[in-house]
DNA sequence: AGGCGCATGTAATTAGTTACATGATTCA
DNA sequence: TGAATCATGTAACTAATTACATGCGCCT
């Protein structure tokens, strides 16, 4: 259900295709939402049936035809009402790396460090992508408040994650200095 | 599937009941995993059938009987193998508040500020809980590396979230100083 | 008397993932 | 010539949520 509001929110800024939404999720929203193209397309169909959005078909020659979705009045009304009236559900996070971290007791120090290094590399890439996306975004005509706020959130999230990784490596190294491994 | 490894990880530290696991998820792991009792009980059944865990039934008089689960050798082996060999899946986050934030363009400034204040209040409570849980935990006999690392992660996460909220309020106030609302 | 903590489970439904399916254009 | 981008969809399956179900003891 929340996915529908996520989609309404995205489309509220600018009419978009399902394909656009997929890109937005992974470029700008990885830090707080995720979905797949199959789920998005089916959800858009349902929302159109409910009268929350409608589409305009654009015939293309060099690439496949596309459906550009916009909000209906009902869709906009529902979005606003949800945003201000619906009590916030707590965030739900599934982070496998931290599950592995929680289970460090079954690993050797070398394995721990390797896992952390891998995640540092990964998170650095994400941060780089987000940084460059922000730069590109800021040098544009329109800049949307929601985008400015959430992109800053993403950058802070990545930095916090990376700082914690560095701290964790230190903590582990200190813990095992005069103790040996596992 | 990852849930099974999360459960193996928890049980690897200390034998636990389904009920214990539910508590651990919400006290210590809210920052990186979540599940419900119904899912956990059914998953524990499956894992026992697969020979990853086994239980000891404890008959109680003042409260209901309980099943204390421990890892089998196979369970421990599977956990280690998963931790060191399985490539990390990217974290999946579902944070409704940030979806609302992304859609701030449809709201009034008052509504934005109210939403942020609500989330600050909520996050402060979470941080307090985590802080007091950590203090209680540190003053104990055994202290597990995974727990130490992930609890620190949680505290950093909450602080980052709160800092960002403060920053966002400032940003919004500055944006609308001489412009009016919506 | 009513709610919370302890403790476990199943059934029904919804949400999400993975696999299957197509096809032109562009770039290396 | 092989992979990536654009673009949309359905089918099969797995994961997760919500609702239903029980029952004692303790605290207010």
């Amino acid at each position: 259900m929340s996915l529908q509001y996520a989609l309404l929110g995205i489309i509220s800024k600018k009419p978009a295709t399902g394909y656009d939404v997929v890109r937005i999720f992974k470029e700008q929203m990885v830090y707080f939402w995720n979905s797949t193209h199959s789920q998005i397309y089916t959800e858009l169909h349902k929302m159109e049936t409910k009268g929350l959005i409608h589409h305009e078909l654009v015939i293309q020659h060099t690439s496949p035809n596309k459906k550009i979705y916009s909000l209906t009045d009902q869709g906009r009304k529902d979005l606003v009402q949800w945003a201000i009236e619906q009590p916030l559900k707590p965030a739900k996070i599934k982070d496998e790396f931290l599950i592995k971290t929680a289970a460090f007791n079954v690993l050797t120090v070398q394995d721990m460090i390797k896992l952390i290094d891998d995640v540092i590399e990964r998170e650095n890439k994400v941060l780089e992508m987000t940084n460059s996306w922000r730069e590109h975004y800021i040098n544009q005509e329109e800049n949307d408040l929601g985008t400015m706020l959430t992109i800053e959130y993403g950058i802070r999230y990545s930095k916090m994650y990376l700082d914690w990784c560095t701290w964790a490596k230190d903590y582990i190294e200190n813990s095992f200095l005069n103790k040996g491994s596992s």
Side-chain angles (χ1 to χ4, degrees), chain A residues 39-99:
Chain A
Q39 197 186 9
I40 289 165
Y41 286 119
T42 47
E43 215 62 33
L44 287 170
H45 292 322
K46 288 187 207 163
M47 288 160 73
E48 189 158 40
T49 306
K50 286 204 276 178
L52 303 174
I53 54 174
H54 64 92
H55 78 267
E56 186 199 345
L57 184 66
V58 177
I59 309 291
Q60 294 185 125
H61 314 285
T62 56
S63 41
N65 297 337
K66 60 183 176 182
K67 294 180 178 177
I68 299 179
Y69 289 95
S70 316
L71 291 200
T72 61
D73 290 345
Q74 187 60 43
R76 184 165 298 265
K77 212 183 110 193
D78 273 27
L79 173 61
V80 174
Q81 200 172 5
W82 168 77
I84 62 186
E85 288 178 15
Q86 277 309 113
L88 273 178
K89 289 184 197 152
K92 282 173 195 170
I93 306 173
K94 299 280 164 84
D95 188 330
E96 272 199 352
F97 174 66
L98 283 150
I99 288 295

Side-chain angles (χ1 to χ4, degrees), chain A residues 10 15-25 41 66-68:
Chain A
I10 292 170
T17 65
Y19 193 86
D20 290 334
V21 172
V22 173
R23 204 176 347 92
I24 291 169
F25 270 130
Y41 286 119
K66 60 183 176 182
K67 294 180 178 177
I68 299 179

